[in-house]
């Protein structure tokens, strides 16, 4: 498979696109006002300890306090916890007990009661594991890890793990023994990353010493800082990307910024000089993403509809609780056999669902409603197709068997808000629902509001302001509305259009006094 990384940089934004066989599969965006936090280490102050949910809220200086669960504290036997390893946000790939698609599951032991470990006002060193999403603050862990090119160092663990993406059991055992030979006793634990498969023991030792020295500096820094304070910032997007993703499996890395090009090549001289020839500086007049013809795909990230090659399409809806994906056959009707038609559409959909989740950076609970198939064999094939393409995802994913309702439920690791949440905001008119009341519904609400005024015995003449579309509806369909209402309530009404109003908004203003009484009477 051909893999490319394209980097488009400007003073206010850095965008990274990952292409597989010339198709955009992943997009990362970094802006100064929305900087990535995962991996940052803070000296925080415990604000509240909540035994009922075995968690604490920690002030780390962000707008909302960070959430720290008891299982993420450092306590005896926490060495059986093994951190992630093979993604920009360190995806778990620990040992032979790991499971799931594209990542392992952290094995936990029972944590002591959080009230025995933390007290209000106590200082604690924590690392961001999940960024603020929607109304929630960041999630943090006290089980700090430091990622290098070939290793992840975990000061509070004591075991050696190997990435599950290194499949050969004998090779995994060799790497584990090699690391055990360079890891000092009682100095922490490590995970060998996928790119460390062919690395020499001397290289492992050199990087381990670098990471251990970095941890000593971090610990020393916490002794003279006052909480809340940032102690260590994770490396920049481009440098982290080079560290975590750029390997012999990537054909080229093209960047349109001279400064970032120099940073990457300088960094590679120390960790992977053999890759420098694959880094290229882009200097064409045509913007790099336009040249690669991926700007239209980026614009389409925020559309509900995603078309499939055969003519079918997906409808992707993001809600607070979950993401729903609906598969439709669209204009593709096949030839004779309906089951083959449906199977082909579902196969294309399975591939595209896996790609869109990566591309849109969607996480959490995802429910996929594929077109109903008659045979279990076909349903199993679609599930396998989905799982196969999910293995390319750096985030941890898990797809469950087809449910009795014909749905495939799955989860995808979420460490930050999706592009949809980061780059868009709720419509001020509809409040994010995507819907507004029809003109007729608005007029009925208006009627009820005016009748409430009459019930209270008010007799002031009113000016009724309406959006032009609602005013046009009244003119075309209910021309005698004002006259009938005046007769019913006993005071005068004057209808006027107001283009500054929302489509389903109206205002009731006392004539002469210009006093707005809308909020008082417009309940529903």
């Amino acid at each position: 498979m051909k893999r490319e990384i394209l980097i488009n940089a400007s003073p206010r934004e850095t965008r990274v696109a990952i292409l597989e066989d010339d198709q955009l599969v992943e997009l990362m965006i970094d802006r100064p006002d929305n900087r990535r936090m995962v991996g940052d280490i803070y000296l925080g102050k415990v604000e509240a300890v909540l035994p009922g949910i075995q968690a604490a809220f920690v002030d780390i200086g962000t707008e909302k306090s960070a959430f720290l669960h008891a299982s993420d504290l450092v306590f005896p036997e926490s060495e059986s916890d093994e951190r992630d390893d093979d993604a920009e946000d360190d995806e778990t790939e620990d040992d032979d007990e790991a499971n799931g698609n594209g990542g392992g599951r952290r094995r936990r032991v029972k944590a002591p009661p959080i009230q025995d470990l933390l007290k209000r006002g106590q200082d604690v060193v924590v690392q961001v594991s999940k960024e603020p999403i929607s109304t929630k603050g960041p999630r943090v862990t006290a089980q700090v890890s430091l990622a290098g090119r070939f290793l992840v160092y975990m000061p509070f663990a004591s075991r050696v793990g190997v990435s599950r993406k290194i499949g050969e059991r004998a090779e995994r055992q060799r790497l584990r023994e090699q690391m055990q030979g360079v890891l000092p006793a009682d100095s922490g634990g490590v995970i060998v990353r996928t790119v460390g498969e062919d690395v020499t023991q001397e290289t492992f030792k050199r990087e381990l010493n670098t990471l251990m020295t970095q941890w000593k500096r971090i610990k020393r820094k916490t002794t003279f800082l006052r909480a809340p304070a940032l102690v260590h910032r994770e490396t920049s997007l481009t440098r982290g990307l080079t560290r975590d993703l750029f390997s012999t499996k990537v054909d080229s890395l093209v960047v349109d910024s001279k400064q970032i090009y120099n940073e990457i090549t300088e960094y590679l001289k120390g960790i992977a000089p053999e890759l420098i020839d694959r880094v290229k500086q882009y200097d064409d007049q045509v913007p790099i993403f336009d040249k690669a013809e991926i700007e239209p795909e980026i614009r389409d990230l925020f559309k509900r509809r995603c078309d499939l090659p055969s003519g079918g399409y997906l409808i992707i809806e993001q809600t607070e609780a979950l993401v729903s994906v609906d598969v439709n056959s669209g204009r593709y009707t096949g030839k004779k056999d309906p089951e083959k038609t449906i199977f082909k559409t579902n196969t294309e959909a399975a591939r595209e669902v896996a790609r869109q989740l990566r591309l849109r950076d969607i996480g959490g609970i995802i429910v996929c409603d594929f077109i109903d198939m008659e045979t279990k064999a076909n349903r199993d094939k679609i599930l396998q197709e989905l799982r196969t393409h999910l293995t390319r995802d750096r985030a941890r994913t898990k797809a469950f068997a087809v449910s009795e309702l014909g749905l495939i439920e799955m989860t995808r690791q979420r460490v930050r808000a999706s592009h949809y949440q980061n780059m868009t905001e709720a419509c001020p008119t509809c409040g994010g629902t995507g819907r507004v009341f029809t003109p007729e519904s608005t007029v009925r609400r208006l009627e009820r509001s005016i009748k409430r005024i009459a019930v209270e015995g008010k007799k002031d003449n009113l000016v009724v302001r309406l959006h032009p579309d609602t005013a046009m509806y009244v003119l075309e369909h209910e021309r005698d509305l004002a006259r009938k209402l005046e007769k019913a309530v006993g005071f005068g009404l004057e209808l006027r259009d107001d283009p500054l109003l929302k489509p389903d908004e109206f205002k009731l203003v006392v004539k002469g006094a210009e006093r707005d009484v809308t909020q008082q009477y417009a309940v529903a």
Side-chain angles (χ1 to χ4, degrees), residues 87-155:
E88 158 209 41
D89 14 76
D90 288 348
E91 141 192 338
T92 305
E93 302 277 4
D94 54 357
D95 51 24
D96 291 325
E97 287 76 20
N99 55 66
N101 296 321
R105 182 189 303 168
R106 189 186 297 180
R107 299 184 301 118
R108 298 195 183 281
V109 295
K110 185 173 177 60
I114 194 168
Q115 59 270 30
D116 295 346
L117 300 173
L118 286 183
K119 302 298 178 188
R120 188 167 183 261
Q122 179 181 337
D123 287 356
V124 59
V125 176
V126 292
Q127 185 173 37
V128 177
S129 58
K130 184 184 288 188
E131 294 183 3
I133 299 174
S134 186
T135 58
K136 298 175 183 177
R139 179 159 182 164
V140 295
T141 175
Q143 298 169 15
V144 174
S145 66
L146 298 173
R149 169 74 170 173
F150 309 111
L151 303 171
V152 174
Y153 173 59
M154 302 164 294

Side-chain angles (χ1 to χ4, degrees), residues 35 83 105 196 307 313 398:
R35 189 185 58 79
R83 288 301 307 272
R105 182 189 303 168
D307 292 323
Y313 61 92
K398 186 167 186 180

Side-chain angles (χ1 to χ4, degrees), residues 147-275:
R149 169 74 170 173
F150 309 111
L151 303 171
V152 174
Y153 173 59
M154 302 164 294
F156 302 112
S158 63
R159 301 179 64 219
V160 174
V162 179
S163 167
R164 277 181 59 84
K165 290 183 181 176
I166 299 174
E168 292 289 333
R169 184 175 290 271
E171 177 64 10
R172 294 166 62 79
Q173 185 59 31
R174 184 188 71 80
L175 289 168
R176 189 176 278 113
E177 291 172 357
Q178 196 174 43
M179 275 309 309
Q180 287 167 343
V182 300
L183 182 65
D186 301 323
S187 60
V190 294
I191 294 176
V192 179
R193 309 188 73 175
T194 307
V195 290
E197 187 170 6
D198 301 317
V199 172
T200 64
Q201 191 173 33
E202 183 58 35
T203 303
F204 280 143
K205 185 175 181 180
R206 189 165 58 246
E207 181 164 275
L208 178 61
N209 287 338
T210 300
L211 294 173
M212 291 174 67
T213 302
Q214 186 180 37
W215 173 240
K216 287 176 184 176
R217 282 200 304 267
I218 291 169
K219 281 204 303 183
R220 195 161 52 243
K221 194 174 178 182
T222 61
T223 60
F224 59 82
L225 286 175
R226 184 175 178 180
L230 176 66
V231 181
H232 169 76
R233 177 162 286 173
E234 173 65 329
T235 189
S236 66
L237 172 62
T238 50
R239 185 162 175 165
L241 182 84
T242 307
R243 179 193 69 197
D244 298 339
L245 287 183
F246 193 42
S247 67
T248 53
K249 294 179 181 178
V250 178
D251 296 278
S252 64
L253 188 157
V254 187
V255 55
D256 64 3
S257 163
K258 178 68 173 175
Q259 179 185 345
I260 294 179
Y261 171 81
N262 290 337
E263 285 178 11
I264 291 172
T265 52
E266 200 62 36
Y267 180 60
L268 287 173
K269 284 178 185 177
I271 63 163
E274 71 278 6
L275 295 175

Side-chain angles (χ1 to χ4, degrees), residues 393-410:
D393 198 335
R394 294 186 297 128
R396 294 195 301 273
T397 60
K398 186 167 186 180
F400 297 88
V402 181
S403 73
E404 292 182 6
L405 294 176
L407 308 174
I408 293 181
E409 299 165 359
M410 61 173 290

Side-chain angles (χ1 to χ4, degrees), residues 408-436:
I408 293 181
E409 299 165 359
M410 61 173 290
T411 60
R412 183 175 185 271
Q413 178 190 24
R414 176 167 56 184
V415 297
R416 61 178 56 87
S418 67
H419 292 313
Y420 176 83
Q421 292 167 313
N422 265 333
M423 300 176 67
T424 65
E425 60 184 21
C427 165
T429 295
C430 67
T433 65
R435 313 284 291 183
V436 294

Side-chain angles (χ1 to χ4, degrees), residues 9-20:
S10 68
R12 297 293 300 172
E13 180 182 67
T14 299
R15 298 188 299 171
V16 178
I18 299 176
L19 278 65
E20 293 177 356

